[in-house]
Amino acid sequence: MWRGFYIAAIVLLLKTTGFGQSYGLTFNSHEEVLEKRTSLDLSPEDSLCFTKNFDLNFDITFLPNHQIYFGYIVRIVSKDNQNVDLIFNEQLHSFKVITGEIFSGISFTIDSPGLYKEWNGVNLKFNLENHSLRFFVNGKLAGEGGIPAAFNCLKILWGANDFQKFKTRDIPPMKIKDIRIFEQNRLRYFWPLDETSGDVCYDKINKKIAKVKNPLWLKPQYQKWLVAGSFTIKGYASSAYDTKHDRLYVIGSDSLALYDLKKEQTSVELLPSYHQNLLLGNQAVYDTVTDKFYDVYVDQKQVIAFNINSRQWQSEFVQGPTTEFWHANKFISPADTSLYIIGGYGQLKYKNLVQRYHFITKKWETLTVSGDYFSPRYLAASGTDAKGDFAYILGGYGSQSGDQMLDPKYYYDLFRFDIKRKLFKKMCSFKPSGTPFTFANSLIIGPDPNEYYGLIFPNDSFNSNLQLITGSLKDSTIRLLGSSIPYRFHDVQSFADLYYSPASNKLIAVTLFYSKAGEKEKNTEVKVYSLNFPPIPADTTETISQKTPPTNYFFISITIAAICILAIFLLWRNSVRRKRQVVKTLSHEKEDYETLPLAKRYYQHGNGVIEKPHFPAIYLFGQFQVLDKEGNDITRLFTPLLKELFLVIALYTLRNGRGISSEGLNEILWHDKSEKDAKNNRSVNIAKLKTILEKIGNCIILKESGYWQFQVMDENIYVDYKKFVTLLQEPPQSGKEYIGHLEEIIRRGAFLTQTEYNWLDNIKSEISNSVIDICMGFVKNHDISKNTEWMIELTNYVLYFDPLNEEALTYKCKGLIFLKRHTLANNIYMKFAKEYKEIYGEAFNKSFHEIIA
């Protein structure tokens, strides 16, 4: 037990430094054949039923650059085939709500930037009393309308579906996440849709399974690089990205490869172009100001424009010696309409020159710079901020003097170059905690102005890998993101670059591998990869650098974890001592208490009542458990089917006194079988149940007046739910004795925890409401300064049934404050607030001081 506890505590500690998660479900739409379109059914086996007013909340965004957007977002269908639909009208660019076969009058729009680039919160409020629907979008009322009567047991179908007459394949290209259903302001179900694979997703509250067909889970798209293109192009190719038109260009000697991110199905398109003698070591840039593609060869001081429309070069390069500026860094400055080249390597020399080419005058110059010394290097990453005031250069490989023979080394520093003042400033240094690495050519600054993204790789092996990293311009911590990319590296045959598409919200990585110089065939093997933005770690976040001077983060983390574990253990031990004192009988004083059968243990509660566990017994509160006549646990004898069969009959009998018919059992347990097969299955399994029940005592499953019933003839057989039903039938009381009897039942936990069936949901909800009302009624009507420990224990019971009950939190914290356990009260509040934000997606709206006021 403690091993798991330690691991959980450490994981919790490490999670505090993790990244926000990108998740959801993408729906295949009109771009796919009918059979491949996506559907999501929240209740594949049955309907979701509600007895009180309920809300359906979810987040939605559309995929950009698709041709057809018409279709159903969600169809909500009642058991008597009444429907409420949310549909997108492509012609009017608006959403409409349809009730039955008519428009409800609810219609709204979402502006294009918001619809295609942001998550939009949608809230449908169903009022079952006056049969009305209120529709909210991003917190604002979008419209009101009516709903059919008896609209309480529902199928909720997203995207495509095959349900009876409501079958459809018309779906807009959309993404959905965070589906929440509230009943009377209490969260009943929550599907984040944060899965990474498979065709099922789980409700976080009750573990209810929803089924998906043709899923395209979002989370892996933020973790795993996808191969967008792989091809060979003639000549020594170079690449550049056009942010204005959202296109990637790879130019070869006789063809242009175009990767258009705006298209529905992005793929690389090869277009013939006029021949150009591209030289080994050339690089390319795209100037969005002049809207031109340029190829650059620094040694010849040439910048040659390529006309995208005519696919012709302005002029040609002249053959010359091999470049002396391998893997130099480059960027365009809009402020002075110039191209800057920094660093590079060639002829056994590392460079730190800053060279500038002015597009208008077409003149080159080598700048005189000032500030901190920028060591000669290559294989660094560079990028500019959004305003174009500063360029940042990260890492690289070189030497202090520039001579390859004099102490070459890796650089792990971040420099800022002030473009206007021509001044270098060293921002920070870091030390890698593993294999040395260098960088791909570009550094992406933003969208957060203080964050950057780059690609690193070990340059000491041919079969290398590119790894995405992120860091802050304010400190020197670097973290790994996403999966790795295979990269064949030889410094005069390889090139890698990274681009960011703001329009498509993707990162694009390009790797180029050239044929050797002197070979007859001059070709370039090109691979293009894409990753959704913002990227997240493939598994767990890894930190690969530390600040200088280095700080022992591992030691600090372990120390903090040890302190947290020790503190939690001491609080737990003290709490246990106060709340539940174990009293051993004299006959078992020498026995190890943990090895005693459950039937031989005693418990003392906060109200002073000593409780002896019952046996034989059937416990339905907490985890399902059955004890035989000797006090032995025989729960394992109940297979999943026998357990559900027993619970259906027992609960229907104890709840309404009547039981359940054979038809009812067939519908719940054997709805997919013929009447004959269902009858055979029922007979065999009831016979098995009877054999097990004989071990308990005088209780039996029998059929009376056409209904299957569970009857207990021996009063010594303890059934906690039977006692609970009897207690509720008594006149309402608030005395300690009444609460003590309830406490004896509910101390084990919420009703049938870790047991989930569709037919069980309403029963669980009723029981939870009753327990909460009774316990909180008692706490509110009594002075918390008297029997404070017991009052806190009652709030704990309420939190078993409703972990986010604000009243229980309030009284529990007040009780702990009265006992002068201020730190514990604050920790409980913080835990509550964290869980609240995880489930509701927003911060808890009350401060700790407001809670205890």
mmCIF file of all heavy atoms in Angstrom, residues 150-169:
data_model
loop_
_atom_site.group_PDB
_atom_site.id
_atom_site.type_symbol
_atom_site.label_atom_id
_atom_site.label_comp_id
_atom_site.label_asym_id
_atom_site.label_seq_id
_atom_site.Cartn_x
_atom_site.Cartn_y
_atom_site.Cartn_z
ATOM 1 N N ALA A 150 -41.768 14.785 -21.645
ATOM 2 C CA ALA A 150 -41.099 13.513 -21.311
ATOM 3 C C ALA A 150 -39.734 13.409 -21.969
ATOM 4 O O ALA A 150 -39.331 12.357 -22.452
ATOM 5 C CB ALA A 150 -41.980 12.325 -21.710
ATOM 6 N N PHE A 151 -39.013 14.517 -21.975
ATOM 7 C CA PHE A 151 -37.692 14.554 -22.603
ATOM 8 C C PHE A 151 -36.627 14.344 -21.528
ATOM 9 O O PHE A 151 -35.836 15.228 -21.220
ATOM 10 C CB PHE A 151 -37.506 15.908 -23.299
ATOM 11 C CG PHE A 151 -36.458 15.894 -24.376
ATOM 12 C CD1 PHE A 151 -36.668 15.211 -25.571
ATOM 13 C CD2 PHE A 151 -35.268 16.581 -24.225
ATOM 14 C CE1 PHE A 151 -35.720 15.202 -26.569
ATOM 15 C CE2 PHE A 151 -34.302 16.580 -25.215
ATOM 16 C CZ PHE A 151 -34.533 15.886 -26.392
ATOM 17 N N ASN A 152 -36.623 13.118 -20.951
ATOM 18 C CA ASN A 152 -35.724 12.885 -19.809
ATOM 19 C C ASN A 152 -34.858 11.642 -19.936
ATOM 20 O O ASN A 152 -33.850 11.521 -19.248
ATOM 21 C CB ASN A 152 -36.534 12.821 -18.507
ATOM 22 C CG ASN A 152 -37.540 11.675 -18.504
ATOM 23 O OD1 ASN A 152 -38.047 11.307 -19.548
ATOM 24 N ND2 ASN A 152 -37.821 11.129 -17.337
ATOM 25 N N CYS A 153 -35.221 10.684 -20.782
ATOM 26 C CA CYS A 153 -34.366 9.520 -21.044
ATOM 27 C C CYS A 153 -33.878 9.632 -22.485
ATOM 28 O O CYS A 153 -34.683 9.511 -23.423
ATOM 29 C CB CYS A 153 -35.132 8.218 -20.812
ATOM 30 S SG CYS A 153 -35.286 7.804 -19.061
ATOM 31 N N LEU A 154 -32.574 9.816 -22.665
ATOM 32 C CA LEU A 154 -32.087 10.323 -23.948
ATOM 33 C C LEU A 154 -30.903 9.540 -24.503
ATOM 34 O O LEU A 154 -30.069 9.045 -23.748
ATOM 35 C CB LEU A 154 -31.657 11.790 -23.780
ATOM 36 C CG LEU A 154 -32.648 12.730 -23.102
ATOM 37 C CD1 LEU A 154 -31.972 14.045 -22.767
ATOM 38 C CD2 LEU A 154 -33.860 12.954 -23.984
ATOM 39 N N LYS A 155 -30.859 9.473 -25.824
ATOM 40 C CA LYS A 155 -29.649 9.108 -26.544
ATOM 41 C C LYS A 155 -29.004 10.416 -26.995
ATOM 42 O O LYS A 155 -29.672 11.278 -27.572
ATOM 43 C CB LYS A 155 -29.976 8.252 -27.765
ATOM 44 C CG LYS A 155 -30.590 6.906 -27.452
ATOM 45 C CD LYS A 155 -29.567 5.933 -26.904
ATOM 46 C CE LYS A 155 -28.573 5.495 -27.943
ATOM 47 N NZ LYS A 155 -27.608 4.493 -27.397
ATOM 48 N N ILE A 156 -27.705 10.563 -26.711
ATOM 49 C CA ILE A 156 -26.985 11.770 -27.126
ATOM 50 C C ILE A 156 -25.935 11.336 -28.134
ATOM 51 O O ILE A 156 -24.962 10.669 -27.793
ATOM 52 C CB ILE A 156 -26.371 12.492 -25.916
ATOM 53 C CG1 ILE A 156 -27.468 12.835 -24.898
ATOM 54 C CG2 ILE A 156 -25.647 13.750 -26.357
ATOM 55 C CD1 ILE A 156 -26.974 13.532 -23.656
ATOM 56 N N LEU A 157 -26.156 11.713 -29.389
ATOM 57 C CA LEU A 157 -25.400 11.188 -30.521
ATOM 58 C C LEU A 157 -24.661 12.322 -31.222
ATOM 59 O O LEU A 157 -25.277 13.266 -31.714
ATOM 60 C CB LEU A 157 -26.348 10.497 -31.510
ATOM 61 C CG LEU A 157 -27.308 9.456 -30.888
ATOM 62 C CD1 LEU A 157 -28.432 9.131 -31.847
ATOM 63 C CD2 LEU A 157 -26.539 8.207 -30.506
ATOM 64 N N TRP A 158 -23.334 12.200 -31.288
ATOM 65 C CA TRP A 158 -22.501 13.238 -31.886
ATOM 66 C C TRP A 158 -22.029 12.784 -33.263
ATOM 67 O O TRP A 158 -21.613 11.642 -33.444
ATOM 68 C CB TRP A 158 -21.286 13.516 -31.002
ATOM 69 C CG TRP A 158 -21.645 13.875 -29.597
ATOM 70 C CD1 TRP A 158 -21.981 13.037 -28.590
ATOM 71 C CD2 TRP A 158 -21.731 15.190 -29.049
ATOM 72 N NE1 TRP A 158 -22.265 13.736 -27.447
ATOM 73 C CE2 TRP A 158 -22.112 15.068 -27.694
ATOM 74 C CE3 TRP A 158 -21.496 16.472 -29.560
ATOM 75 C CZ2 TRP A 158 -22.278 16.155 -26.857
ATOM 76 C CZ3 TRP A 158 -21.662 17.558 -28.723
ATOM 77 C CH2 TRP A 158 -22.048 17.401 -27.401
ATOM 78 N N GLY A 159 -22.099 13.704 -34.232
ATOM 79 C CA GLY A 159 -21.609 13.397 -35.560
ATOM 80 C C GLY A 159 -22.496 12.394 -36.270
ATOM 81 O O GLY A 159 -23.724 12.461 -36.230
ATOM 82 N N ALA A 160 -21.878 11.421 -36.938
ATOM 83 C CA ALA A 160 -22.632 10.394 -37.649
ATOM 84 C C ALA A 160 -23.311 9.463 -36.649
ATOM 85 O O ALA A 160 -22.856 9.317 -35.515
ATOM 86 C CB ALA A 160 -21.695 9.595 -38.547
ATOM 87 N N ASN A 161 -24.422 8.851 -37.047
ATOM 88 C CA ASN A 161 -25.050 7.845 -36.188
ATOM 89 C C ASN A 161 -25.927 6.932 -37.020
ATOM 90 O O ASN A 161 -26.314 7.277 -38.136
ATOM 91 C CB ASN A 161 -25.856 8.514 -35.058
ATOM 92 C CG ASN A 161 -27.214 9.002 -35.495
ATOM 93 O OD1 ASN A 161 -28.166 8.237 -35.612
ATOM 94 N ND2 ASN A 161 -27.307 10.312 -35.761
ATOM 95 N N ASP A 162 -26.228 5.758 -36.469
ATOM 96 C CA ASP A 162 -27.075 4.770 -37.132
ATOM 97 C C ASP A 162 -28.343 4.512 -36.330
ATOM 98 O O ASP A 162 -28.941 3.440 -36.442
ATOM 99 C CB ASP A 162 -26.302 3.447 -37.311
ATOM 100 C CG ASP A 162 -25.139 3.599 -38.262
ATOM 101 O OD1 ASP A 162 -25.363 4.104 -39.374
ATOM 102 O OD2 ASP A 162 -24.018 3.229 -37.879
ATOM 103 N N PHE A 163 -28.770 5.465 -35.524
ATOM 104 C CA PHE A 163 -29.878 5.238 -34.604
ATOM 105 C C PHE A 163 -31.225 5.477 -35.293
ATOM 106 O O PHE A 163 -31.633 6.615 -35.547
ATOM 107 C CB PHE A 163 -29.742 6.151 -33.388
ATOM 108 C CG PHE A 163 -30.771 5.884 -32.307
ATOM 109 C CD1 PHE A 163 -30.755 4.700 -31.592
ATOM 110 C CD2 PHE A 163 -31.747 6.823 -32.018
ATOM 111 C CE1 PHE A 163 -31.687 4.452 -30.603
ATOM 112 C CE2 PHE A 163 -32.685 6.586 -31.028
ATOM 113 C CZ PHE A 163 -32.653 5.396 -30.323
ATOM 114 N N GLN A 164 -31.895 4.372 -35.607
ATOM 115 C CA GLN A 164 -33.257 4.385 -36.136
ATOM 116 C C GLN A 164 -33.414 5.410 -37.264
ATOM 117 O O GLN A 164 -32.577 5.517 -38.142
ATOM 118 C CB GLN A 164 -34.231 4.631 -34.971
ATOM 119 C CG GLN A 164 -34.168 3.533 -33.901
ATOM 120 C CD GLN A 164 -35.057 3.799 -32.720
ATOM 121 O OE1 GLN A 164 -35.896 4.694 -32.708
ATOM 122 N NE2 GLN A 164 -34.888 3.013 -31.660
ATOM 123 N N LYS A 165 -34.485 6.196 -37.214
ATOM 124 C CA LYS A 165 -34.761 7.140 -38.298
ATOM 125 C C LYS A 165 -33.866 8.382 -38.239
ATOM 126 O O LYS A 165 -33.905 9.224 -39.137
ATOM 127 C CB LYS A 165 -36.226 7.575 -38.272
ATOM 128 C CG LYS A 165 -36.603 8.430 -37.068
ATOM 129 C CD LYS A 165 -38.043 8.911 -37.180
ATOM 130 C CE LYS A 165 -38.404 9.865 -36.040
ATOM 131 N NZ LYS A 165 -39.775 10.379 -36.167
ATOM 132 N N PHE A 166 -33.065 8.481 -37.193
ATOM 133 C CA PHE A 166 -32.212 9.657 -37.021
ATOM 134 C C PHE A 166 -30.822 9.450 -37.624
ATOM 135 O O PHE A 166 -29.934 10.281 -37.448
ATOM 136 C CB PHE A 166 -32.103 10.001 -35.532
ATOM 137 C CG PHE A 166 -33.432 10.276 -34.887
ATOM 138 C CD1 PHE A 166 -34.096 9.277 -34.186
ATOM 139 C CD2 PHE A 166 -34.039 11.509 -35.031
ATOM 140 C CE1 PHE A 166 -35.328 9.517 -33.614
ATOM 141 C CE2 PHE A 166 -35.272 11.766 -34.468
ATOM 142 C CZ PHE A 166 -35.928 10.767 -33.755
ATOM 143 N N LYS A 167 -30.661 8.357 -38.317
ATOM 144 C CA LYS A 167 -29.375 8.035 -38.934
ATOM 145 C C LYS A 167 -28.921 9.166 -39.854
ATOM 146 O O LYS A 167 -29.695 9.717 -40.631
ATOM 147 C CB LYS A 167 -29.512 6.740 -39.724
ATOM 148 C CG LYS A 167 -28.249 6.310 -40.461
ATOM 149 C CD LYS A 167 -28.482 4.971 -41.155
ATOM 150 C CE LYS A 167 -27.228 4.535 -41.905
ATOM 151 N NZ LYS A 167 -27.410 3.216 -42.544
ATOM 152 N N THR A 168 -27.641 9.523 -39.770
ATOM 153 C CA THR A 168 -27.101 10.571 -40.628
ATOM 154 C C THR A 168 -25.604 10.361 -40.843
ATOM 155 O O THR A 168 -24.936 9.717 -40.028
ATOM 156 C CB THR A 168 -27.343 11.966 -40.020
ATOM 157 O OG1 THR A 168 -26.899 12.958 -40.950
ATOM 158 C CG2 THR A 168 -26.569 12.147 -38.725
ATOM 159 N N ARG A 169 -25.115 10.916 -41.948
ATOM 160 C CA ARG A 169 -23.684 10.932 -42.222
ATOM 161 C C ARG A 169 -23.209 12.357 -42.507
ATOM 162 O O ARG A 169 -22.058 12.559 -42.880
ATOM 163 C CB ARG A 169 -23.355 10.041 -43.430
ATOM 164 C CG ARG A 169 -23.493 8.552 -43.168
ATOM 165 C CD ARG A 169 -22.454 8.060 -42.180
ATOM 166 N NE ARG A 169 -22.541 6.631 -41.935
ATOM 167 C CZ ARG A 169 -23.314 6.063 -41.022
ATOM 168 N NH1 ARG A 169 -24.064 6.834 -40.251
ATOM 169 N NH2 ARG A 169 -23.338 4.755 -40.863
#
